[in-house]
Amino acid sequence: MTAPKRWVLPAPAKLNLFLHVTGRRADGYHELESVFVPITLADTVALTSREDGQIRLIDPPEGLTEKNDLACRAARALQRATGTTLGVDIHLKKVIPQGGGLGGGSSDAATTLLGLNRLWSLGQARDQLRAVGEKLGADVPFFIFGQPAFASGVGERLLAVSLPLNQYVVAFPGICVATADVFAETGLTRNTPRAERKVFAENFGHNDLQPVAERLQPQISSLCGAFIRAGAAPRMSGSGACVFAPTSGAIAAQALVAQLRGAGWQCWIVKSIAHHPLIGFASG
């Protein structure tokens, strides 16, 4: 009997360099504009093929089960879309904070789709995988798209953008923010003007969700204050709760991390990346 194939693959996090809410549709969904960039902070997804069609989550991280984990849902969705009879054991090593606005679960799902496309020899094109990913979560298509992107609509329309690679400090306040709660707030700004050009300076825009998230979870505001006292310009990613700031170089980043950790915050030095490490796992 042939030994099962096992691949160990990265699932990088993302930052929203800005996030504008430009309107609300009749169906209740919000129109957004944002620039997504993948970063070096990453989970690890190990995929081991199975011949019996089962999809199992091995040693699941706290709070995750085979029913609610996005990677497992992605594998099942790909089975349905392609009719394959193969299965997979999924083992996740979580580094990206859950509920932190960095897209960890969505990235795990995208890496699973890309990895299984090769592991199961499916030959799916990128657009086919994105179509599967869209049904799993708004951020999944970005990770399959695989490069810095301007997102619009409800996040499903992606346009590649060219950005200089940068270094950031990312910090997690230790709490999570429910995205639905943020969007349900009556005080949320929903009429930010649309970007007229798709060329963005590093400090372009803002995050419309941040004031609401700070009201719901004051620890985010406290974390932002720690950044400011250290001389940095913080911004929240996604709907929170992680906060990030660009740095001018390694020495500045290390100094900022030292101050934040000294104040008790969990943080990392990360870099933006030009392409998802698995971008070659799908064609087109």
Side-chain angles (χ1 to χ4, degrees), residues 212-238:
V212 174
E214 288 189 34
R215 288 196 297 272
L216 293 174
Q217 294 288 0
Q219 281 178 268
I220 299 173
S221 182
S222 298
L223 177 54
C224 288
F227 271 87
I228 292 169
R229 288 189 295 274
R235 186 171 291 182
M236 191 181 76
S237 182

Side-chain angles (χ1 to χ4, degrees), residues 99-102 172 175-177 179 182 207 209 213 220 236-242:
L102 303 181
F172 179 54
I175 50 89
C176 299
V177 181
T179 301
V182 175
N207 186 338
L209 308 186
I220 299 173
M236 191 181 76
S237 182
S239 60
C242 284

Side-chain angles (χ1 to χ4, degrees), residues 4 16 36 38 40 57 123 131 142 174 195 209 219 221 228 282 284:
N16 296 90
F36 292 84
T40 51
L57 184 62
F142 160 70
L209 308 186
Q219 281 178 268
S221 182
I228 292 169

Side-chain angles (χ1 to χ4, degrees), residues 162-175:
S162 179
L163 296 170
L165 299 182
N166 208 346
Q167 185 167 253
Y168 301 90
V169 169
V170 178
F172 179 54
I175 50 89

Side-chain angles (χ1 to χ4, degrees), residues 123-145:
Q124 296 285 287
R126 195 172 315 280
D127 285 347
Q128 292 174 294
L129 295 180
R130 283 177 59 183
V132 175
E134 283 178 7
K135 299 173 184 177
L136 299 168
D139 290 343
V140 180
F142 160 70
F143 290 106
I144 297 170
F145 186 73

Side-chain angles (χ1 to χ4, degrees), residues 55-146:
I55 293 170
R56 303 192 308 168
L57 184 62
I58 308 301
D59 298 327
E62 184 177 355
L64 296 181
T65 68
E66 291 175 357
K67 290 185 177 181
N68 68 15
D69 174 59
L70 271 179
C72 289
R73 290 173 56 196
R76 288 192 291 269
L78 193 59
Q79 277 184 328
R80 291 192 297 270
T82 62
T84 182
T85 59
L86 297 173
V88 66
D89 287 341
I90 301 173
H91 185 273
L92 301 176
K93 182 180 179 182
K94 294 294 293 180
V95 175
I96 305 168
Q98 296 185 52
L102 303 181
S106 295
S107 186
D108 296 344
T111 285
T112 298
L113 292 174
L114 289 162
L116 291 179
N117 193 39
R118 284 283 184 89
L119 191 67
W120 289 347
S121 300
L122 299 175
Q124 296 285 287
R126 195 172 315 280
D127 285 347
Q128 292 174 294
L129 295 180
R130 283 177 59 183
V132 175
E134 283 178 7
K135 299 173 184 177
L136 299 168
D139 290 343
V140 180
F142 160 70
F143 290 106
I144 297 170
F145 186 73

